[in-house]
Amino acid sequence: MFMDIGKISYMPAIFVIGRPSSGKSSVTSLLVDKFNKQKFSPIGRAALIDADHLAEFSLMPDKGDFSINARTNRAKHLLKIVSWISSTGLVPVVAAIGQPSKVRTLWKESIPNYFEVYLNVDLKTCTDRDYKGTYKLNNVIGKDLPFEEPRTSDLILNACKYSAEEISTSIYSQIIKRFSS
């Protein structure tokens, strides 16, 4: 079910990515609940790592700067957080805006058992769902800043067609298939 590298065992690290208001926070919250009810990891816990929460508590560098350099810097910082949490036996479940492909490649190459889910949602739907007012701002990724649509995710789901519950169930099933021995 998990990978043993030397003396450190790594749980799957699940990254749910997509545009702002694509449903990442809702899906990952439900997914963490599913893992915690099923005792998937050796200690039976999953940890939600929501990039919005990390920013809210100033745990990510370059807050408010959405340039490619700042996003890459934050992605490297997130890599450290996820690697640490994974090494503790927890299943890290990450909700983050899709980063440039070079960042996603870095994550994939650096994080054992990396599993990427892309919530594919069109801009209009994201704008309609936007309860935080994100799309009323300037410098929004996917609106007026570049958003590189992932093409090689482990799982690509059309989040316009399915509920957050259906999506979290689908992700959970795929993780069980991939990582159970």
Side-chain angles (χ1 to χ4, degrees), residues 36-71:
N36 289 342
K37 286 177 185 168
Q38 297 301 317
K39 304 231 184 267
F40 179 80
S41 78
I43 61 173
R45 301 295 300 164
L48 177 58
I49 305 168
D50 192 315
D52 286 346
H53 296 154
L54 294 175
E56 181 181 330
F57 290 98
S58 300
L59 296 175
M60 296 295 272
D62 305 320
K63 184 178 178 182
D65 181 351
F66 297 104
S67 68
I68 294 294
N69 286 340
R71 289 166 59 194

Side-chain angles (χ1 to χ4, degrees), residues 17-19 22 117-122 126 147 149-151 156-161:
I17 63 174
R19 288 181 172 85
S22 60
V117 179
Y118 171 45
L119 299 184
N120 187 359
V121 180
D122 61 79
C126 289
F147 175 78
E149 196 157 335
R151 305 265 184 239
I156 298 174
L157 297 169
N158 183 333
C160 296
K161 290 184 178 181

Side-chain angles (χ1 to χ4, degrees), residues 10-29:
Y10 289 88
M11 298 309 301
I14 305 155
F15 279 66
V16 178
I17 63 174
R19 288 181 172 85
S21 301
S22 60
K24 300 176 301 293
S25 294
S26 298
V27 167
T28 54
S29 179

